[in-house]
Amino acid sequence: MSTPDDISTKPEQASAEQPSAQPWQADARVAAVQRRTVRVLSAAQVVGGVGVGVAVSIGALLAESVAHSETYAGLARTAMTAGAAAVGVPLALVAQRAGRRTSLSLGWLVAAVGGALLVGAAVSRSIPLLIVGMLLFGVGSATNQQSRYAAADLAAPHRRAQALSIVVWSTTVGSVIGPNLADPGAAVASALSLPRLAGAFVLASAGMALAALLLWGLMRPDPLMLSLRYQEAEERQEREAGTRAASAEATVAREKSRSTGTLRAGLRHLRHSPRAGFAFTSVVLAHTVMAAVMTMTPVSMAQHGSGLTIVGITVSGHLLGMYAFSPVVGWLADRIGHLPTVVAGQAVFLVSAALSGMGHDSVGLMMAGLFLLGLGWSFNLVAGSAMLSEATPAPLRPGVQGTTDTAMNVVAAVGAGLAGPLMSWIGFGGLNAVAAVLVLPVLAFWALLVRAR
């Protein structure tokens, strides 16, 4: 029986053995590598995602304790977001040249170094070290996001969304554990004679370093490199057999990626492929809607008398909506199609905006609205990301995916930054109304796609 290592070195033979009626992903050996890849990615998401969870709750507290200034604390928090946004494309380019294994391992390792620098900043009270540490630590968030694409590289077309959704679901563990590491971190800090808040980042760095080791040691063969070899072998076999010409789009895409660079070729593809453009738009705007509303929800609830416990439960419900149901969303997307699932996500967003916007005096309505906000995000991220992978030729996928994640983080950061002034001007209900308006471009794009069929 062949092993995964065999097919990583002999794609031509493996492709030749497959029945022509089946895609190469249906080969038993490819399926075995795919299952192993998803398991390894999920494990890395669990241990590395703890660090991402720490950043959400404890990062701002550490920044304020080091800087003793809300201004510097805000700058440090912005640096973490900037770090995530800045590396989306570079990580994708590393994946293009050296594979997902190298790209994701490097991302988690850089984030672990950032966590170590944050521990040093807590000890030395150094603001420059704090900001550099936050920048590098933010790379973990980008790595966490790009891991979902690796799950789709070898997935059969009819199971692409479900494979991707399992990796997204694995983030649930880290998002739950990470924000609760303050007390265990304090015990670690006490044992190491460190400032109290630094202990959580010791644990976060250890988790991110472990994620890097898991991916580097166990994600073999590399799913992206293997998928590219299989597709090239399939095209070569078809040309030699004379059954049909190789896909012109894939061939042109590969040549352009070699001659003009993956990034430019990927941007060109986003402009000229309606389905890829729709997927890009839906993912970016969904993340913006989620970030803008979620940023100001704790503030609005506090203004209306909700205590920290109620706010925490509401945020936990939101995270539950984001991650816990992603396998169900993936199954649905593979069953009814990526496009209808994204459109369903827009409907969920509209209901969420109505409940949250009209229910700021009602804790129950706020909780329901925030849960649906997370669920709508899950519909868009899972189905939109799977659709993006499906609509993009394999040679261009890393660049297009990295561009999408960079745009997603940058636009969402702008939306979150504008959410405060908007709420001051038109209230939390008005902010939700603006968020609902962002659904309209996606629905308009959907209408154009349907009309073009």
Side-chain angles (χ1 to χ4, degrees), residues 226-248:
L226 182 59
S227 70
L228 289 173
R229 288 196 292 269
Y230 260 91
Q231 291 184 11
E232 289 173 359
E234 185 178 60
E235 291 174 9
R236 183 164 54 252
Q237 182 189 28
E238 288 168 348
R239 285 198 304 270
E240 292 171 353
T243 56
R244 66 175 174 84
S247 167

Side-chain angles (χ1 to χ4, degrees), residues 15 80 104 115 127 136 142 167 188 204 208 215 283 327 342 400 433:
S15 178
M80 189 180 297
L104 297 177
I127 293 175
L136 298 182
V167 175
V188 171
M208 289 172 159
L215 292 169
V283 169
V342 170
V400 170

Side-chain angles (χ1 to χ4, degrees), residues 8-200:
S8 71
T9 57
K10 299 179 181 178
E12 294 87 355
Q13 292 92 320
S15 178
E17 293 169 4
Q18 297 181 63
S20 59
Q22 288 186 325
W24 57 264
Q25 295 95 332
D27 184 279
R29 291 162 295 182
V30 176
V33 177
Q34 167 66 1
R35 289 192 295 270
R36 176 185 174 89
T37 297
V38 171
R39 287 196 297 267
V40 173
L41 285 168
S42 298
Q45 288 291 89
V46 170
V47 294
V50 169
V52 177
V54 165
V56 173
S57 60
I58 305 175
L61 298 176
L62 178 71
E64 190 171 2
S65 71
V66 171
H68 296 294
S69 163
E70 291 186 1
T71 300
Y72 279 115
L75 179 62
R77 187 72 183 87
T78 302
M80 189 180 297
T81 303
V87 300
V89 171
L91 282 177
L93 294 178
V94 172
Q96 177 71 29
R97 294 186 175 96
R100 302 281 191 193
R101 172 173 162 262
T102 300
S103 173
L104 297 177
S105 298
L106 179 63
W108 284 124
L109 185 60
V110 169
V113 172
L117 292 180
L118 290 175
V119 173
V123 172
S124 63
R125 303 289 177 182
S126 168
I127 293 175
L129 195 60
L130 172 72
I131 294 174
V132 173
M134 287 288 188
L135 275 169
L136 298 182
F137 200 73
V139 176
S141 179
T143 307
N144 179 278
Q145 292 167 357
Q146 290 207 10
S147 295
R148 71 190 190 275
Y149 293 122
D153 287 330
L154 296 174
H158 67 283
R159 300 200 64 181
R160 188 170 282 133
Q162 191 168 19
L164 187 149
S165 70
I166 292 172
V167 175
V168 174
W169 175 83
S170 302
T171 308
T172 307
V173 178
S175 67
V176 171
I177 295 176
N180 295 291
L181 280 182
D183 289 338
V188 171
S190 177
L192 299 176
S193 300
L194 296 172
R196 189 176 191 275
L197 291 173

Side-chain angles (χ1 to χ4, degrees), residues 39 63 84 107 157 172 183 204 214 236 279 320 343 377 407 413 427 441 443:
R39 287 196 297 267
T172 307
D183 289 338
L214 282 172
R236 183 164 54 252
L320 190 72
V343 174
W377 177 88
L443 293 179

Side-chain angles (χ1 to χ4, degrees), residues 158 160-162 164-165 275 278-279 282-283 286 325-349 372 374-387 390 439 442-443 446 449-450 453:
H158 67 283
R160 188 170 282 133
Q162 191 168 19
L164 187 149
S165 70
R275 289 181 65 83
F278 175 83
S282 65
V283 169
F325 295 93
S326 54
V328 178
V329 175
W331 173 84
L332 182 67
D334 286 333
R335 187 172 182 83
I336 69 172
H338 303 149
L339 188 63
T341 305
V342 170
V343 174
Q346 308 312 306
V348 175
F349 272 152
L372 290 176
L375 188 62
W377 177 88
S378 181
F379 269 68
N380 281 273
L381 185 83
V382 171
S385 298
M387 186 175 179
E390 179 186 61
V439 167
V442 179
L443 293 179
W446 166 66
L449 285 177
V450 172
R453 285 181 176 178

